[in-house]
Amino acid sequence: MEKKVKLPKHKFHIKTGDIVLVIGGNSKGQRGVVKEVIVEKDRARVEGVAMITKHLKPTAQNPQGSLEKTEGSIHISNLMVVDPTTGEPTRTGRKLNEKGKLQRFSKKTGNFIPDGGRK
């Protein structure tokens, strides 16, 4: 039996490399850079935000075992893009740029939001 792949319901307002503000949850008010967007679960990992502790089992290389702090994921709805020109959080929209390509823009200032550190 083949496993069904869940397709995204819509495009996200957040991309990898964006600076975002957390607007809900335990990490409310913190800012960080998006490291990864988990499309299947509508979640994102943000650098230095929503830290969780992982318990690592003892291995041959690490006979003592250890505790590792890593970023947990945050639901996309709890994140807001920070406008790179003003440094304030903003809602985003999409419109055609000069080259005729659909690009995100800040609804507060009207400026286009450059794609973060994406390749």
Side-chain angles (χ1 to χ4, degrees):
M1 212 154 162
E2 286 185 43
K3 190 175 181 182
K4 281 191 176 180
V5 177
K6 185 179 173 189
L7 297 173
K9 296 174 217 117
H10 52 80
K11 285 198 169 191
F12 296 128
H13 63 283
I14 290 183
K15 293 184 178 185
T16 304
D18 284 347
I19 298 171
V20 292
L21 174 73
V22 181
I23 59 172
N26 292 340
S27 301
K28 184 176 181 177
Q30 292 183 347
R31 290 177 186 232
V33 177
V34 177
K35 289 174 72 174
E36 172 189 13
V37 176
I38 306 163
V39 177
E40 301 82 34
K41 296 182 179 180
D42 295 351
R43 298 176 81 82
R45 290 192 203 287
V46 181
E47 202 171 289
V49 177
M51 299 302 283
I52 59 170
T53 305
K54 273 185 143 180
H55 295 259
L56 298 177
K57 280 184 163 183
T59 61
Q61 292 84 18
N62 185 8
Q64 192 66 38
S66 64
L67 297 175
E68 184 182 277
K69 289 249 185 205
T70 58
E71 288 92 3
S73 63
I74 302 173
H75 197 270
I76 292 282
S77 65
N78 292 329
L79 298 174
M80 198 169 205
V81 176
V82 173
D83 189 343
T85 54
T86 61
E88 292 184 20
T90 180
R91 296 174 71 185
T92 60
R94 295 175 189 276
K95 65 180 176 183
L96 294 173
N97 62 10
E98 309 82 44
K99 298 176 183 172
K101 186 178 176 190
L102 205 61
Q103 190 176 356
R104 297 177 301 157
F105 73 98
S106 164
K107 289 201 173 182
K108 219 176 232 186
T109 62
N111 298 333
F112 285 110
I113 298 172
D115 290 344
R118 300 185 76 225
K119 293 174 182 162

